[in-house]
Amino acid sequence: MALDQSFVGRTYPPTPAYEVGREKIREFAEAIGDANPAYTDTEAAKALGHPDVIAPPTFVFAITFKAAGAVIEDPQLGLDYSRVVHGDQKFAYARPVRAGDRLSVTSTIEAVKSLAGNDIVDIRGEVHDASGEHVVTAWTKLVSRAPEGA
């Protein structure tokens, strides 16, 4: 069954703050194989003009995807998560994510469509720090595959 188009524009409450830690940044950088010293060495980051280590650009996905859970788990939307695949991801940064940031995400459904029996949901996550400064916008596209034989 196609998802309800009236959900386009629905915004979910901001998430509780996520505190970005140096160790989490280091672990993430190691996991993706990025040896940029700005991700692990405070002095290297400061030499580049940052107040502390910064996170790789895709680090924020873990925070924004968790925030998108409010959309995914909304029983009124009716998205069948057991059939969902990740379709696309984009980021637009105002500034890098830094160690010590306390980030909250507000998720909004930007589009709901059906294509060949598949339901597609586009979610925009606006990420702000504790002072309200915009840090990054993340767009996530989720595709709920059509049931077999549909």
Side-chain angles (χ1 to χ4, degrees), residues 16-44:
Y18 172 91
E19 187 165 344
V20 179
R22 282 188 199 107
E23 187 64 14
K24 287 288 187 185
I25 292 172
R26 184 192 62 75
E27 289 170 350
F28 187 86
E30 286 178 0
I32 64 170
D34 194 329
N36 184 334
Y39 303 152
T40 56
D41 181 336
T42 303
E43 293 309 312

mmCIF file of all heavy atoms in Angstrom, residues 16-44:
data_model
loop_
_atom_site.group_PDB
_atom_site.id
_atom_site.type_symbol
_atom_site.label_atom_id
_atom_site.label_comp_id
_atom_site.label_asym_id
_atom_site.label_seq_id
_atom_site.Cartn_x
_atom_site.Cartn_y
_atom_site.Cartn_z
ATOM 1 N N PRO A 16 17.330 14.387 21.579
ATOM 2 C CA PRO A 16 18.198 14.805 22.683
ATOM 3 C C PRO A 16 19.614 15.042 22.135
ATOM 4 O O PRO A 16 20.000 14.470 21.110
ATOM 5 C CB PRO A 16 18.187 13.602 23.632
ATOM 6 C CG PRO A 16 16.964 12.827 23.265
ATOM 7 C CD PRO A 16 16.738 13.067 21.794
ATOM 8 N N ALA A 17 20.368 15.872 22.812
ATOM 9 C CA ALA A 17 21.719 16.202 22.337
ATOM 10 C C ALA A 17 22.621 14.964 22.344
ATOM 11 O O ALA A 17 22.574 14.152 23.263
ATOM 12 C CB ALA A 17 22.331 17.295 23.200
ATOM 13 N N TYR A 18 23.419 14.857 21.296
ATOM 14 C CA TYR A 18 24.453 13.823 21.180
ATOM 15 C C TYR A 18 25.785 14.530 21.352
ATOM 16 O O TYR A 18 26.095 15.462 20.597
ATOM 17 C CB TYR A 18 24.385 13.156 19.802
ATOM 18 C CG TYR A 18 25.525 12.205 19.527
ATOM 19 C CD1 TYR A 18 25.415 10.858 19.838
ATOM 20 C CD2 TYR A 18 26.710 12.659 18.958
ATOM 21 C CE1 TYR A 18 26.460 9.981 19.586
ATOM 22 C CE2 TYR A 18 27.758 11.791 18.702
ATOM 23 C CZ TYR A 18 27.630 10.456 19.024
ATOM 24 O OH TYR A 18 28.679 9.594 18.767
ATOM 25 N N GLU A 19 26.560 14.111 22.350
ATOM 26 C CA GLU A 19 27.857 14.738 22.572
ATOM 27 C C GLU A 19 28.926 14.019 21.753
ATOM 28 O O GLU A 19 29.143 12.818 21.912
ATOM 29 C CB GLU A 19 28.251 14.734 24.046
ATOM 30 C CG GLU A 19 29.514 15.532 24.278
ATOM 31 C CD GLU A 19 29.756 15.871 25.735
ATOM 32 O OE1 GLU A 19 28.833 15.755 26.548
ATOM 33 O OE2 GLU A 19 30.891 16.259 26.035
ATOM 34 N N VAL A 20 29.566 14.768 20.881
ATOM 35 C CA VAL A 20 30.594 14.227 19.998
ATOM 36 C C VAL A 20 31.904 14.134 20.779
ATOM 37 O O VAL A 20 32.404 15.140 21.284
ATOM 38 C CB VAL A 20 30.779 15.118 18.752
ATOM 39 C CG1 VAL A 20 31.873 14.555 17.849
ATOM 40 C CG2 VAL A 20 29.468 15.267 18.001
ATOM 41 N N GLY A 21 32.449 12.938 20.867
ATOM 42 C CA GLY A 21 33.693 12.725 21.602
ATOM 43 C C GLY A 21 34.883 12.474 20.695
ATOM 44 O O GLY A 21 34.726 11.948 19.588
ATOM 45 N N ARG A 22 36.054 12.852 21.164
ATOM 46 C CA ARG A 22 37.285 12.622 20.385
ATOM 47 C C ARG A 22 37.472 11.148 20.051
ATOM 48 O O ARG A 22 37.873 10.803 18.943
ATOM 49 C CB ARG A 22 38.503 13.106 21.179
ATOM 50 C CG ARG A 22 38.702 14.577 21.170
ATOM 51 C CD ARG A 22 40.058 14.935 21.834
ATOM 52 N NE ARG A 22 40.022 16.322 22.199
ATOM 53 C CZ ARG A 22 39.916 16.763 23.443
ATOM 54 N NH1 ARG A 22 39.871 15.926 24.437
ATOM 55 N NH2 ARG A 22 39.876 18.053 23.676
ATOM 56 N N GLU A 23 37.187 10.300 21.030
ATOM 57 C CA GLU A 23 37.406 8.862 20.822
ATOM 58 C C GLU A 23 36.448 8.311 19.765
ATOM 59 O O GLU A 23 36.839 7.493 18.938
ATOM 60 C CB GLU A 23 37.247 8.109 22.141
ATOM 61 C CG GLU A 23 37.625 6.650 22.065
ATOM 62 C CD GLU A 23 39.096 6.392 21.740
ATOM 63 O OE1 GLU A 23 39.925 7.325 21.825
ATOM 64 O OE2 GLU A 23 39.421 5.242 21.385
ATOM 65 N N LYS A 24 35.213 8.764 19.764
ATOM 66 C CA LYS A 24 34.251 8.321 18.745
ATOM 67 C C LYS A 24 34.713 8.755 17.352
ATOM 68 O O LYS A 24 34.608 7.999 16.393
ATOM 69 C CB LYS A 24 32.851 8.879 19.026
ATOM 70 C CG LYS A 24 32.163 8.238 20.183
ATOM 71 C CD LYS A 24 31.729 6.844 19.825
ATOM 72 C CE LYS A 24 30.889 6.255 20.947
ATOM 73 N NZ LYS A 24 30.547 4.875 20.703
ATOM 74 N N ILE A 25 35.219 9.980 17.267
ATOM 75 C CA ILE A 25 35.737 10.464 15.982
ATOM 76 C C ILE A 25 36.917 9.609 15.542
ATOM 77 O O ILE A 25 36.978 9.172 14.383
ATOM 78 C CB ILE A 25 36.136 11.957 16.069
ATOM 79 C CG1 ILE A 25 34.888 12.829 16.250
ATOM 80 C CG2 ILE A 25 36.925 12.380 14.830
ATOM 81 C CD1 ILE A 25 35.186 14.292 16.526
ATOM 82 N N ARG A 26 37.848 9.349 16.458
ATOM 83 C CA ARG A 26 39.020 8.524 16.119
ATOM 84 C C ARG A 26 38.591 7.137 15.648
ATOM 85 O O ARG A 26 39.057 6.631 14.625
ATOM 86 C CB ARG A 26 39.970 8.395 17.316
ATOM 87 C CG ARG A 26 41.258 7.611 16.963
ATOM 88 C CD ARG A 26 42.063 7.237 18.201
ATOM 89 N NE ARG A 26 41.336 6.364 19.099
ATOM 90 C CZ ARG A 26 41.106 5.057 18.892
ATOM 91 N NH1 ARG A 26 41.544 4.475 17.803
ATOM 92 N NH2 ARG A 26 40.444 4.338 19.774
ATOM 93 N N GLU A 27 37.682 6.506 16.392
ATOM 94 C CA GLU A 27 37.209 5.171 16.023
ATOM 95 C C GLU A 27 36.550 5.173 14.645
ATOM 96 O O GLU A 27 36.779 4.262 13.841
ATOM 97 C CB GLU A 27 36.210 4.655 17.066
ATOM 98 C CG GLU A 27 36.838 4.309 18.388
ATOM 99 C CD GLU A 27 35.823 4.027 19.480
ATOM 100 O OE1 GLU A 27 34.609 4.283 19.280
ATOM 101 O OE2 GLU A 27 36.242 3.554 20.548
ATOM 102 N N PHE A 28 35.758 6.197 14.384
ATOM 103 C CA PHE A 28 35.088 6.279 13.093
ATOM 104 C C PHE A 28 36.114 6.450 11.968
ATOM 105 O O PHE A 28 36.039 5.771 10.940
ATOM 106 C CB PHE A 28 34.070 7.428 13.089
ATOM 107 C CG PHE A 28 33.223 7.467 11.854
ATOM 108 C CD1 PHE A 28 32.068 6.709 11.766
ATOM 109 C CD2 PHE A 28 33.589 8.239 10.761
ATOM 110 C CE1 PHE A 28 31.289 6.725 10.627
ATOM 111 C CE2 PHE A 28 32.812 8.265 9.610
ATOM 112 C CZ PHE A 28 31.660 7.511 9.542
ATOM 113 N N ALA A 29 37.060 7.356 12.166
ATOM 114 C CA ALA A 29 38.092 7.586 11.143
ATOM 115 C C ALA A 29 38.879 6.300 10.871
ATOM 116 O O ALA A 29 39.152 5.974 9.709
ATOM 117 C CB ALA A 29 39.026 8.712 11.579
ATOM 118 N N GLU A 30 39.212 5.574 11.918
ATOM 119 C CA GLU A 30 39.920 4.302 11.732
ATOM 120 C C GLU A 30 39.047 3.296 10.987
ATOM 121 O O GLU A 30 39.518 2.579 10.114
ATOM 122 C CB GLU A 30 40.351 3.725 13.079
ATOM 123 C CG GLU A 30 41.525 4.455 13.701
ATOM 124 C CD GLU A 30 41.918 3.899 15.064
ATOM 125 O OE1 GLU A 30 41.289 2.929 15.547
ATOM 126 O OE2 GLU A 30 42.878 4.439 15.646
ATOM 127 N N ALA A 31 37.761 3.241 11.335
ATOM 128 C CA ALA A 31 36.855 2.275 10.715
ATOM 129 C C ALA A 31 36.703 2.521 9.212
ATOM 130 O O ALA A 31 36.570 1.563 8.442
ATOM 131 C CB ALA A 31 35.484 2.317 11.388
ATOM 132 N N ILE A 32 36.743 3.785 8.797
ATOM 133 C CA ILE A 32 36.607 4.077 7.362
ATOM 134 C C ILE A 32 37.966 4.171 6.663
ATOM 135 O O ILE A 32 38.032 4.400 5.462
ATOM 136 C CB ILE A 32 35.764 5.345 7.100
ATOM 137 C CG1 ILE A 32 36.433 6.599 7.668
ATOM 138 C CG2 ILE A 32 34.343 5.165 7.641
ATOM 139 C CD1 ILE A 32 35.767 7.903 7.242
ATOM 140 N N GLY A 33 39.050 4.011 7.444
ATOM 141 C CA GLY A 33 40.389 4.009 6.852
ATOM 142 C C GLY A 33 40.898 5.381 6.444
ATOM 143 O O GLY A 33 41.713 5.493 5.534
ATOM 144 N N ASP A 34 40.432 6.428 7.123
ATOM 145 C CA ASP A 34 40.866 7.790 6.785
ATOM 146 C C ASP A 34 41.882 8.267 7.824
ATOM 147 O O ASP A 34 41.537 8.491 8.984
ATOM 148 C CB ASP A 34 39.672 8.734 6.739
ATOM 149 C CG ASP A 34 40.009 10.059 6.076
ATOM 150 O OD1 ASP A 34 41.173 10.501 6.166
ATOM 151 O OD2 ASP A 34 39.105 10.662 5.475
ATOM 152 N N ALA A 35 43.115 8.421 7.406
ATOM 153 C CA ALA A 35 44.211 8.770 8.318
ATOM 154 C C ALA A 35 44.441 10.277 8.435
ATOM 155 O O ALA A 35 45.481 10.708 8.934
ATOM 156 C CB ALA A 35 45.495 8.089 7.845
ATOM 157 N N ASN A 36 43.495 11.093 8.036
ATOM 158 C CA ASN A 36 43.639 12.542 8.144
ATOM 159 C C ASN A 36 43.936 12.896 9.600
ATOM 160 O O ASN A 36 43.133 12.596 10.487
ATOM 161 C CB ASN A 36 42.355 13.230 7.676
ATOM 162 C CG ASN A 36 42.452 14.738 7.670
ATOM 163 O OD1 ASN A 36 43.222 15.342 8.409
ATOM 164 N ND2 ASN A 36 41.641 15.355 6.834
ATOM 165 N N PRO A 37 45.067 13.538 9.888
ATOM 166 C CA PRO A 37 45.411 13.842 11.282
ATOM 167 C C PRO A 37 44.438 14.806 11.965
ATOM 168 O O PRO A 37 44.360 14.831 13.191
ATOM 169 C CB PRO A 37 46.813 14.440 11.193
ATOM 170 C CG PRO A 37 47.013 14.815 9.773
ATOM 171 C CD PRO A 37 46.113 13.948 8.952
ATOM 172 N N ALA A 38 43.679 15.573 11.206
ATOM 173 C CA ALA A 38 42.696 16.488 11.813
ATOM 174 C C ALA A 38 41.605 15.720 12.549
ATOM 175 O O ALA A 38 40.904 16.287 13.381
ATOM 176 C CB ALA A 38 42.071 17.377 10.750
ATOM 177 N N TYR A 39 41.480 14.403 12.261
ATOM 178 C CA TYR A 39 40.476 13.572 12.920
ATOM 179 C C TYR A 39 40.984 12.950 14.223
ATOM 180 O O TYR A 39 40.175 12.467 15.012
ATOM 181 C CB TYR A 39 40.026 12.442 11.995
ATOM 182 C CG TYR A 39 39.473 12.886 10.662
ATOM 183 C CD1 TYR A 39 39.570 12.067 9.553
ATOM 184 C CD2 TYR A 39 38.860 14.125 10.496
ATOM 185 C CE1 TYR A 39 39.060 12.452 8.315
ATOM 186 C CE2 TYR A 39 38.357 14.521 9.262
ATOM 187 C CZ TYR A 39 38.458 13.688 8.189
ATOM 188 O OH TYR A 39 37.958 14.077 6.966
ATOM 189 N N THR A 40 42.284 12.969 14.430
ATOM 190 C CA THR A 40 42.829 12.267 15.601
ATOM 191 C C THR A 40 43.806 13.091 16.433
ATOM 192 O O THR A 40 44.081 12.732 17.572
ATOM 193 C CB THR A 40 43.562 10.980 15.151
ATOM 194 O OG1 THR A 40 44.576 11.332 14.202
ATOM 195 C CG2 THR A 40 42.592 9.985 14.528
ATOM 196 N N ASP A 41 44.338 14.150 15.882
ATOM 197 C CA ASP A 41 45.387 14.922 16.547
ATOM 198 C C ASP A 41 44.916 16.363 16.754
ATOM 199 O O ASP A 41 44.737 17.115 15.791
ATOM 200 C CB ASP A 41 46.643 14.878 15.671
ATOM 201 C CG ASP A 41 47.828 15.613 16.259
ATOM 202 O OD1 ASP A 41 47.652 16.533 17.090
ATOM 203 O OD2 ASP A 41 48.960 15.290 15.851
ATOM 204 N N THR A 42 44.711 16.729 18.012
ATOM 205 C CA THR A 42 44.206 18.070 18.336
ATOM 206 C C THR A 42 45.100 19.159 17.761
ATOM 207 O O THR A 42 44.607 20.155 17.209
ATOM 208 C CB THR A 42 44.071 18.237 19.863
ATOM 209 O OG1 THR A 42 43.213 17.207 20.347
ATOM 210 C CG2 THR A 42 43.484 19.575 20.231
ATOM 211 N N GLU A 43 46.414 18.990 17.854
ATOM 212 C CA GLU A 43 47.334 20.008 17.350
ATOM 213 C C GLU A 43 47.251 20.129 15.830
ATOM 214 O O GLU A 43 47.308 21.239 15.288
ATOM 215 C CB GLU A 43 48.764 19.720 17.807
ATOM 216 C CG GLU A 43 48.954 19.853 19.317
ATOM 217 C CD GLU A 43 48.422 21.175 19.882
ATOM 218 O OE1 GLU A 43 48.726 22.255 19.311
ATOM 219 O OE2 GLU A 43 47.678 21.136 20.884
ATOM 220 N N ALA A 44 47.085 19.013 15.144
ATOM 221 C CA ALA A 44 46.939 19.048 13.684
ATOM 222 C C ALA A 44 45.648 19.774 13.308
ATOM 223 O O ALA A 44 45.629 20.568 12.363
ATOM 224 C CB ALA A 44 46.946 17.637 13.104
#
